[in-house]
Amino acid sequence: MSDPADLSNLRDIVVPPEVALWPPAPGWWILLAGGIAMAAIFAGMIVARYRRNAYRRAALVALDTADAGDISSILKRVALAAWPRAEVASLTGAEWLAFLDRTARSNVFTQGAGRDLEGLAFGGAGDEQAVRAAARNWIRRHRC
């Protein structure tokens, strides 16, 4: 009889076969589906933001080619695109400049270079480049 403790009875360790990489486990499929859904939602948010800001891009193009007297009307059109007509349409003078400052969280139009906006609108004198820069900044940064 053979002795079970005899070293001649030893065999090599049996290694299990390697785990296949394909098809992946169900958890990986769920993770992939979640990642695709998140990417689609993120892309949708980017497209929606791009479309929401179309009025800003159009106003910036119009501002580049506008006369000094048209800057105020461009700002008014931008404001009408972003806020209800009842809130914006009747604003003139100091109220209009205060509205521009309040929505941009600055004081450029009531105390800074934007004060000349009203004068330029009616053919008066003023620093056109500074007013144009203030208007460009307001178009880019105003918050509803």
Side-chain angles (χ1 to χ4, degrees):
M1 289 222 191
S2 68
D3 182 19
D6 187 15
L7 293 180
S8 64
N9 291 332
L10 290 178
R11 304 286 181 254
D12 257 352
I13 297 174
V14 178
V15 180
E18 289 189 24
V19 177
L21 293 177
W22 197 260
W28 288 110
W29 287 109
I30 293 170
L31 189 64
L32 178 67
I36 290 172
M38 291 297 288
I41 289 170
F42 186 67
M45 289 170 54
I46 289 173
V47 168
R49 181 180 177 155
Y50 182 79
R51 288 180 179 167
R52 258 192 333 265
N53 289 324
Y55 74 97
R56 292 179 196 248
R57 291 188 304 277
L60 288 171
V61 169
L63 189 63
D64 290 337
T65 60
D67 295 332
D70 295 334
I71 295 174
S72 184
S73 64
I74 291 171
L75 291 177
K76 183 72 86 161
R77 284 186 292 176
V78 170
L80 287 171
W83 283 274
R85 180 172 289 278
E87 187 178 330
V88 175
S90 64
L91 296 176
T92 58
E95 291 176 349
W96 172 237
L97 297 177
F99 171 82
L100 292 174
D101 278 345
R102 186 176 67 250
T103 56
R105 296 178 187 97
S106 70
N107 60 0
V108 175
F109 289 99
T110 54
Q111 298 174 5
R115 287 183 304 204
D116 296 336
L117 178 67
E118 216 175 325
L120 289 174
F122 295 110
D127 187 2
E128 179 184 345
Q129 294 304 322
V131 171
R132 196 178 296 269
R136 185 174 290 112
N137 189 36
W138 183 83
I139 290 171
R140 287 185 183 144
R141 300 183 194 281
H142 71 270
R143 296 289 174 248
C144 300

